[in-house]
Amino acid sequence: MWLRVEGFKDLVRRWWTGYTFSGSFSHILACKLKALKQDLKTWNREVLGNVFSNKEAALSQIGYWDAKESDLGLSPEEAEARRRAVEDFSKWASMEEISWRQKSQQLWLKEGDKNSRFFHKMANAQRRRNYLAAIKVNGRRLTREEVVKEEVVISFHRVLSEIDEWKPSIIGLPFSVLDREEARALENPFSE
């Protein structure tokens, strides 16, 4: 969806080349990706905003100009403003459709398929898979979101702050051991 915005690629290129980090290549890449993610979030919120509400605003603007046209007719400037509103609506509707397709995680769906039941099921399936409706703690079933979050944090805190008793240990596991002759052979210089 962002690729439809004019100048987007240049903006990302400018951000990417502007980041300076030091360290290993993998560290630099991870830091640049993290910084880019934050810049993209901010840019998306400030430039695009809510695509659905932008589309609705453009549609209401078209409705306004249509009502005015039916009552009094439109001046050339007003007709131009109505044409721009129609273009805006078309742009936002297209972006909303692309957004739904991306949310569905099904690249083979065509942009015109957004209203099918299957499309909406696929778009919301990931959210349902990642949703935790209830948990059972000490025999109690917890369903309220705040209580579930609190219990998950408490449980992880308890498990991660325990002493090494719960963690796997290598004590008592049999390992193959090299004898002195084999160990000495490892330090010999390479021969042809």
Side-chain angles (χ1 to χ4, degrees):
M1 176 177 75
W2 294 339
L3 294 173
R4 296 264 175 116
V5 176
E6 192 171 319
F8 175 73
K9 288 181 182 178
D10 295 329
L11 180 64
V12 171
R13 187 176 295 115
R14 196 167 56 248
W15 282 336
W16 188 262
T17 56
Y19 302 140
T20 53
F21 297 101
S22 60
S24 68
F25 292 123
S26 60
H27 175 72
I28 293 171
L29 176 64
C31 290
K32 280 188 166 193
L33 288 172
K34 191 173 185 179
L36 181 64
K37 179 181 179 182
Q38 289 304 318
D39 285 341
L40 286 171
K41 278 184 175 181
T42 304
W43 175 83
N44 184 51
R45 188 173 39 256
E46 292 173 357
V47 174
L48 294 181
N50 185 330
V51 174
F52 178 76
S53 60
N54 290 342
K55 182 187 87 166
E56 292 300 314
L59 185 61
S60 67
Q61 193 69 23
I62 292 171
Y64 167 78
W65 290 119
D66 286 348
K68 189 167 184 177
E69 183 178 35
S70 65
D71 290 343
L72 308 168
L74 295 176
S75 68
E77 295 84 19
E78 293 170 333
E80 178 61 24
R82 183 188 181 286
R83 188 191 61 73
R84 282 194 308 273
V86 169
E87 284 177 1
D88 276 352
F89 174 77
S90 177
K91 176 183 90 171
W92 292 116
S94 172
M95 286 187 155
E96 182 189 31
E97 206 164 299
I98 292 169
S99 172
W100 272 108
R101 183 171 44 110
Q102 288 172 326
K103 287 176 186 174
S104 75
Q105 296 181 348
Q106 298 296 320
L107 297 178
W108 54 267
L109 288 174
K110 294 192 172 46
E111 290 179 17
D113 289 344
K114 96 170 187 168
N115 288 324
S116 72
R117 197 166 87 195
F118 174 74
F119 182 89
H120 285 282
K121 279 187 177 187
M122 294 308 295
N124 294 317
Q126 185 69 26
R127 188 178 314 126
R128 281 193 303 275
R129 274 194 298 271
N130 289 336
Y131 181 70
L132 183 65
I135 61 171
K136 202 172 204 178
V137 178
N138 298 329
R140 294 183 357 235
R141 188 173 197 273
L142 307 174
T143 57
R144 284 199 10 245
E145 185 176 348
E146 314 84 50
V147 179
V148 168
K149 284 180 182 178
E150 186 178 319
E151 282 298 326
V152 167
V153 169
I154 289 170
S155 295
F156 273 101
H157 181 67
R158 187 180 322 115
V159 168
L160 295 174
S161 63
E162 287 178 0
I163 301 180
D164 297 335
E165 298 164 0
W166 70 277
K167 296 180 182 171
S169 172
I170 62 169
I171 296 173
L173 292 178
F175 289 102
S176 299
V177 179
L178 299 176
D179 61 24
R180 289 180 192 236
E181 190 63 36
E182 291 171 322
R184 219 174 298 126
L186 289 175
E187 295 180 8
N188 289 340
F190 289 105
S191 63
E192 285 186 37

